[in-house]
Amino acid sequence: LTIVAGLAITLALGLLAAGRLNLISVAFIPLFVGLGVDFGIQVSVRFNAERRAGAGLLEALERAAEAMGAPILLAAGAICLALGAFLPTDYIGIAELGIISALGMVVALALNVTLLPALIVMLKPKPPEAEVGYKGAAPIDRWLERNRKAVLIAFVVAMVASIAALPLVRFDFNPLNLRDPDAPAMQMLGKLMRDPQRTPNTLSVLTPDIEAARQMAVRLGKLPEVRDAITLDTFIPADQPAKLALIEDASLLLDATVNPFDLPPEPNDTEAMAALGKAAGELRRLGAVRNDALGNAWGALAASFDRLAAASPQQRQKVETALVEPLGVTLDKIRFMLQASEVTRANLPADISGSWLSKDGRALVSLVPRGDSTDNEVLTRFTAAVREVAPNATGMPVATQEAAGTVSRAFIVAGGLALGLVGGLLLAVLRSVREVAFTLAPVVLSGFLTLGSCVIIGQPLNFANIIAFPLLFGVGVAFHFYFVMAWRGGTGDLLQTSLARAVLFSALATGSAFGALWFSAHPGTASMGLILMISLIWTLVCALIFEPALLGPPERKTAETPTP
């Protein structure tokens, strides 16, 4: 109930703040569900732990508030700052996601400390009969304590390997790869895009005049990555005098045929029947001479003529209309082609010349890539080679690759800003650089491990799944901060506590919200769900294995708030 209410409120506030939802900002739904579940589980599990310890209903709520109030408040604040770090970037989609999700964290925090306790008081749940913590995890705590150094070294080696693999991380800048490749429309679009005469993946260069365009086309046309360099002059045939002479000779030879002086009268139906019968007889005679496929074809055509001769006059009229009228169109085309004259820039059609030559004299050069224009590597080499010669070249390949660069820069800038802002908040609260490092180091580690996993399984980043990383940051900061606060308060054997139970089930619930995206029929959404699941698994591993090993035994114990 708390999550559903919060989701509705966040949607309303998000629409008021951003004015819309886009394909990226709509991801606030799994983010809100995942983190909203986390806050609710933390409160509820701690409440159950206090009830198991013998506290009454209201007393258990008060103790849960004392134990989890500050960690949840600071976790929500850290997540808001991390998401808000995307506001100054140029990636509008993720900036709007940051606005809506930050508002969602405020709503989730408010409802989990007001509506959730109110619902608990109204429903009056019974105290749990079993232990809330995980006493069975004691051997794992002991093992981590004994092998702390080896565990940390293993994670450091894994992080170094992931960092070394970063150059192999691919960014798929082609937005069409986010669609279902088996859909009929996408299959047809792929065929059209592989056709050099129809592909939209071309580059254009604007030159000062037609002569500059000609020189640029000659220069770029020599590049091995360029298939065609097209200018206005491309539409003017070469060697026109020789070709016109040939056309003139053909006109003299064919003129009497295509433009006869005397046409016989149109045959009546009786004459047509006789002609069909005569033609059928000749075809059968020719077919009898050849005992092959062509002879069989002539025999089949003769049978068709016989059937047509025996048909009604109306059927013969339909066949005549279907055959004779197109023949007339073809003859008209031949007559028109035999009247060809010299083509110059001046007599080119206005729609062609206007597309390649502006009124102020500037001329366009269009460049077609060599190879499969749907292949990202082909487009990358093509764009780089052309822009080395013509830096002002524009077109879809430039737009998509520049967009990918903008997104990558946005995440790098936002990531650095988020680390700075969250680190500043944690430092202001914890007042210890060491404890801030304990909180943020596992978050950074899980990010590198996620990228390394993407390299291993061959999953490229794209415009959809890259938003997994701010979600990873938000969830990771919350999980690790809970453990650091408990350790700071003197709690040892972290895997046996109710906090570990809350983190585990929070991760499972968040994984359900994120993992549902993995089963989407939309490839972009499915890849986002896949990376979210990978990142969540590494976040959980770092929280339950790396974080306890990194923290070690608590430095001081506090008896005021014993951990069940």
Side-chain angles (χ1 to χ4, degrees), residues 301-314:
L301 183 57
S304 298
F305 280 4
D306 285 336
R307 289 194 298 271
L308 184 59
S312 64
Q314 292 78 12

Side-chain angles (χ1 to χ4, degrees), residues 206-422:
L206 192 61
T207 59
D209 51 51
I210 192 67
E211 181 59 28
R214 187 189 64 79
Q215 296 176 3
M216 181 65 73
V218 171
R219 186 178 178 188
L220 292 172
K222 296 178 181 179
L223 296 175
E225 295 83 4
V226 176
R227 181 184 187 275
D228 295 313
I230 304 170
T231 67
L232 181 63
D233 288 343
T234 305
F235 298 92
I236 301 176
D239 301 325
Q240 290 194 61
K243 294 176 181 178
L244 288 172
L246 293 174
I247 293 174
E248 185 176 355
D249 291 342
S251 178
L252 291 174
L253 292 173
L254 298 175
D255 184 65
T257 303
V258 298
N259 296 305
F261 292 103
D262 187 20
L263 291 175
E266 184 176 348
N268 55 36
D269 187 60
T270 302
E271 293 171 337
M273 292 173 59
L276 287 169
K278 181 180 178 181
E282 289 295 324
L283 287 170
R284 275 192 294 272
R285 183 181 62 80
L286 292 173
V289 175
R290 300 181 63 113
N291 189 20
D292 56 11
L294 183 58
N296 294 334
W298 285 344
L301 183 57
S304 298
F305 280 4
D306 285 336
R307 289 194 298 271
L308 184 59
S312 64
Q314 292 78 12
Q315 289 177 309
R316 283 190 291 274
Q317 184 61 44
K318 289 181 180 179
V319 173
E320 180 180 351
T321 301
L323 295 178
V324 174
E325 289 187 4
L327 177 60
V329 173
T330 301
L331 290 173
D332 288 339
K333 289 183 178 180
I334 293 175
R335 296 185 188 105
F336 183 76
M337 288 188 291
L338 293 175
Q339 299 173 10
S341 59
E342 184 180 6
V343 179
T344 64
R345 294 174 187 168
N347 61 18
L348 281 172
D351 57 340
I352 294 181
S353 59
S355 300
W356 296 87
L357 190 64
S358 66
K359 293 182 179 179
D360 60 3
R362 289 179 296 172
L364 192 68
V365 181
S366 180
L367 304 163
V368 179
R370 185 183 300 277
D372 184 359
S373 67
T374 62
D375 188 328
N376 287 347
E377 294 184 3
V378 170
L379 291 181
T380 300
R381 292 194 299 268
F382 170 63
T383 303
V386 171
R387 298 193 80 185
E388 186 175 350
V389 178
N392 62 332
T394 61
M396 184 178 291
V398 172
T400 53
Q401 292 176 57
E402 288 295 329
T406 298
V407 171
S408 301
R409 288 190 297 271
F411 274 85
I412 293 173
V413 171
L417 186 58
L419 280 175
L421 292 174
V422 174

